[in-house]
Structure formats: structure tokens, C-alpha cells
Amino acid sequence: MTSTIPASFEETYEQYTPLVKRMITRLRIYQEQEEYMQAGYVGLWKAYSTFSPEKGTFSAYAFTLVRGEMLMMLRKEVRFSERHQLFDDHQPFEQPSEIEDRFELEAYFPLLSERERTWLTDFAVHALPIRDIAAKHGVAASTVKSWRKSALRKLRAHTSELKLD
């Protein structure tokens, strides 16, 4: 590979295809290689379009942009897989019903005031954030936070008593 830019992108494509393939191997990409090849060619096109001979050699610039595009795609894939949990179609996902959740929580209700029970039910069973609980009951978010703080203090005290027994 030379340090001068080829006359057309087609020539650049042919000349730098080994670089794109080698980068896939170097980054240890084993799945969806065609998509990463495409990302590498996008990087090559960006290098071809924006290359300036005063700033260095084309081969080094192409290497950097091809690698950068592939790494950016890898990061996006990792971020997606971290944020989206996939379930197997053969194993049905069973979520406990609200009735079961509430029944389990009711064992702790005698320890809590009415407001603390409200927070616990809305938070644990209905999965509502503090601001939604506050809006639902017409109070400030700071009020709901005080319900939470008081409920958690009582629940922690109760569970620590159980551990001592």
C-alpha cells in the first residue's frame, strides 16, 4: 500500500480491501463480518473523501478511519446488548402478577404507616418512579422521598432483627 491516494475510489477499494479484511481479524470479529466489512469500507470512503496529503500518508489515515468505524460499530453493538435483554422464545418469560407481588409485600404492611405502604406498593408492584407516585397522590416528590426513607428504615430494622434471631 502506498502513501499516495489512488486516482479513483474503485482503485482505492481494490488496493485497501486486504486492510479491511485484516482489521476484522485483528479486532477478533467472528460474527456479522459482512456488516463490519461494510463499516470498514465506509471508513475507507471517508478517508478517500477527506484525505489531505499535508497531514501524512493515506495508508495511515485509511488505517485509522477503517479501524475507527469498526470500533464504533462494536461499541454500538455492546451498548445495545447491555440495554436490551433478549429472551429465548422456547422458554416463556413469566412475570409475577401484581396480586402475587402485593401478597408478598402485605407481610410487611403492619410495620409501615399508610403512606409508607402507598410508596411500597406503587414502587415495588407498579414500578412507578418517585415523580409519578407524587403526581398520583398530589404531593411533592420530596414528600414521597420521605415516605421511602421512613419505610426503608423500618424494613431494614425489621430484617436486621430477623438476622439476629
Side-chain angles (χ1 to χ4, degrees):
M1 289 177 232
T2 63
S3 62
T4 61
I5 188 168
S8 70
F9 181 70
E10 288 77 21
E11 291 176 23
T12 305
Y13 179 89
E14 293 297 324
Q15 188 175 352
Y16 286 87
T17 292
L19 169 74
V20 175
K21 290 180 179 179
R22 196 169 51 246
M23 191 58 65
I24 286 178
T25 304
R26 188 174 187 178
L27 294 175
R28 294 183 178 96
I29 297 171
Y30 299 107
Q31 296 178 341
E32 303 170 2
Q33 289 185 349
E34 292 82 21
E35 292 180 32
Y36 286 94
M37 288 277 293
Q38 189 66 30
Y41 288 130
V42 167
L44 188 60
W45 170 253
K46 287 180 181 179
Y48 180 81
S49 302
T50 61
F51 176 66
S52 175
E54 306 87 50
K55 294 187 177 183
T57 63
F58 179 75
S59 58
Y61 188 57
F63 177 90
T64 302
L65 290 184
V66 167
R67 184 174 185 271
E69 286 294 320
M70 288 183 182
L71 286 174
M72 188 168 34
M73 189 172 172
L74 277 169
R75 280 188 213 106
K76 285 180 182 178
E77 289 289 325
V78 167
R79 233 179 286 130
F80 181 84
S81 65
E82 286 174 350
R83 293 180 181 167
H84 298 86
Q85 185 177 9
L86 302 176
F87 295 101
D88 186 6
D89 291 339
H90 302 294
Q91 289 184 327
F93 176 67
E94 293 183 24
Q95 184 174 2
S97 69
E98 284 186 20
I99 296 169
E100 292 171 356
D101 286 344
R102 185 166 173 86
F103 180 73
E104 290 177 18
L105 292 177
E106 285 180 355
Y108 298 102
F109 279 8
L111 304 170
L112 305 174
S113 71
E114 185 62 36
R115 304 271 177 151
E116 295 162 349
R117 288 183 215 146
T118 300
W119 168 79
L120 184 60
T121 303
D122 285 345
F123 176 75
V125 177
H126 304 295
L128 294 175
I130 288 175
R131 68 176 178 272
D132 291 351
I133 297 170
K136 179 179 174 182
H137 298 285
V139 296
S142 60
T143 304
V144 176
K145 289 178 185 177
S146 71
W147 298 348
R148 175 187 64 187
K149 184 178 178 181
S150 177
L152 291 175
R153 185 179 46 223
K154 289 177 183 178
L155 292 171
R156 285 180 185 133
H158 178 73
T159 56
S160 66
E161 288 173 13
L162 293 176
K163 289 179 186 175
L164 295 175
D165 290 344

